[in-house]
Amino acid sequence: MTEVAQTRPFATATDSGTGALQTFVTAGPSTIVADVSAAQGGLDLGPDPHELVAAGLAACTTMTLRLYANRKNWEVSGLHVEVFSHYDADKTPPERFERVISLEGNLNEEQRERLFEIAEKCPIHKLLTAGARVVTTVADQD
């Protein structure tokens, strides 16, 4: 199977030009400011890159659970996913995400357990646990 180049990037990041670390990140139709804390040299004007990864995991988990619950016609009135990032220097890999899932609705224990199993099938969860290849090229200068 050959790889097909995308005509539009999934995400772009452009330095704000202000001299600090603020970066304009565009993904899909939205643009946000990414930054780091003042202690790290930024102005804390937006999520840092680790927070963006955690947000992707939280969003994907929520969407995966909603799709499954809807397909099964289960009464899920609310889904809430929190993701915490931890760095354990003595572990391999040292980065650890902790995901806390809250489910609301008329669900029995079997349905709740199934939804927790389905959370493991979230594409971003699978990406983070399996790893991905990153290929870097340098664009031609104008």
Side-chain angles (χ1 to χ4, degrees):
M1 182 171 174
T2 59
E3 293 184 30
V4 177
Q6 297 291 321
T7 57
R8 182 175 62 104
F10 278 13
T12 62
T14 305
D15 180 72
S16 68
T18 62
L21 296 175
Q22 297 75 48
T23 303
F24 298 115
V25 176
T26 300
S30 302
T31 299
I32 63 170
V33 174
D35 200 359
V36 295
S37 69
Q40 296 172 302
L43 298 174
D44 203 18
L45 295 177
D48 72 29
H50 282 89
E51 291 167 332
L52 290 170
V53 172
L57 176 60
C60 185
T61 301
T62 302
M63 292 175 188
T64 300
L65 294 175
R66 174 53 68 195
L67 284 168
Y68 188 83
N70 286 354
R71 193 171 80 226
K72 293 292 189 176
N73 292 317
W74 290 352
E75 294 180 37
V76 176
S77 58
L79 290 164
H80 182 77
V81 178
E82 295 178 333
V83 175
F84 301 89
S85 178
H86 304 278
Y87 188 83
D88 302 318
D90 59 335
K91 303 283 184 184
T92 302
E95 189 78 30
R96 174 174 57 95
F97 291 105
E98 177 184 347
R99 185 172 51 178
V100 179
I101 301 170
S102 300
L103 302 170
E104 297 175 19
N106 187 19
L107 297 167
N108 61 40
E109 195 56 36
E110 185 177 304
Q111 290 170 321
R112 295 175 69 78
E113 282 299 316
R114 182 63 181 146
L115 286 170
F116 289 121
E117 290 172 10
I118 293 300
E120 300 294 302
K121 298 180 185 309
C122 152
I124 299 300
H125 171 90
K126 291 164 89 173
L127 172 71
L128 290 171
T129 56
R133 293 179 300 118
V134 177
V135 177
T136 304
T137 58
V138 177
D140 294 331
Q141 291 183 351
D142 291 334

